[in-house]
Amino acid sequence: MAVGGYQYAMRLTRTSDVWWKDAVIYCLDVETYQDSDGDGCGDFAGLTQQIDHIARLGATCVWLMPFFPTGERDDGYDITDFYTVDPRLGTLGDFVEFVRTARDRGLRVIADLVVNHTSDRHPWFQNARSSRDSAFRDWYVWRDEPPADGPQGIVFPDKEKSLWEYDERTGQYYLHRFYRQQPDLNVANPAVRDEIARIMGFWLELGLSGFRVDAVPFLLETKGQTDASRLPDPHDYLADLRAFLSRRSGEAVLLGEVNLPYPDTMRFFGDPHSVGDELTMCFDFIGMQRFYLAMARREATPLAEALRERPTPPRDCHWATFVRNHDELTLDKLSDEERTEVFDAFGPEKRMQLYGRGLRRRLPPMLDDIERTKMAYSLMFSLPGTPVLFYGEEIGMGENLGLEGRLAVRTPMQWTSAPDGGFSTADPSRLVRPLVDGEFGPRQVNVADQRRDHRSLLSWIRLLIERYRDCPELAWGEFEVLDTGAPAVLAHRCHIDGQSVVAVHNLADEDIEIQLVYDGLDGVLTDLLVDGTTKVSADGKATIRLGRYGCRWLRVGPA
């Protein structure tokens, strides 16, 4: 494979079957992306009309947040029917047209699989709570009293005080890890497990290439259940799900939300001696949290330590990297002191914080410096793993702190400088959610303006994606953190088949010069983000200069 005149031993015929290892995933919420009919709510028809934006960006996979009928208690995560589309967003026909059009542009589509609970308005639960003798009673988790050995930890401590809710009609408590309006499904029940597989099979037949699995540890937890013995090993069940997925679609993936320490997360990939028989990818929550600590300190050490500690997944599995997602920016794996450092740097006001563990802000307002923001995304794309973008990141959208909780970062996409951001022709009072205003509102931040500006964040993200796709070393190569002698600089090398790429990032707000050295360094370093070369000295060293928040990707080649 030749890229820019350079010859690689890696061949696309070797890597395309494992498409997720060098994919670029773009997450979006249909209801806030593009309104096609002027009712104030985004829909599949509008999303389909904007698919070329995602394709031009360079993304290769679209991740859809929940688009099913909902009880509207948890922004779509409280589902009332797993087999159709929320009528506000369109029809199954509109969904299929979107998937077909995405495929035409070279984009795969995955969707949220939210099956650890349903809405309390779901017909299954309505039937289950009608009588203790209901055929669906055992589809949920019921107890006469909350068990002392049951699950612990409340996800939404500002809204809930218990994981158990008393149902007066039948005189028992039901389990809910999230809101009380979201009763947990009982995966120890074989009928529930069969139904989950049926849901997956249904959407695979309509063209999906896999699923992002919501709250995986909660899905598998049976602690304190009287029938837990019916699911002897939850990881065997996850392996069964993966096997079913692979039988139905050999290309399909499971991207898992597993916010646990590295050793615990590794278990969710499956057998470490195989190609990986459970989750295909896991989000790197530990690396993300250490990234923010490093940014707050302007020192690379916290992130460098995490990267050195991060285990290597089974052969066909991968980490998913991100700097922002659709939820609060969780910092729960940092110590109290470390979390306070990040809060002080990026969210000092209480209204910017959520649940005492995270931030409800987007990256650009937190950093408040376009060069620092560009450096942060350069760092994300250069790290080993599959990069995941949340819609609006490519243009530097901000948050609306006037909205409740996580909704602050789930505002309508900003397409133009018009007051409605080009999202909808509806009266502002009818929009599904208010837009961001002020310096990060559509007048200053939008796709149309940035598309014409080669210095914009949008142009920068496009360049990063192009270079990431040009560098198979980043996705497929071996990885090592390099010693720079400068606390503010993170340097790492990815190499495979005799080819190497070195990425260097300055987390400080001042110019810096380092000496790059590692065993075998020789020849010339060619800049990939700008034009230029750096010669390696006879003693195997290269002098690298970085501006404030500077970043360089360097291909190592012969003199």
Side-chain angles (χ1 to χ4, degrees), residues 428-442:
S429 63
R430 296 181 60 207
L431 295 185
V432 65
R433 206 159 294 145
L435 280 87
V436 174
D437 56 14
E439 63 178 310
F440 290 95

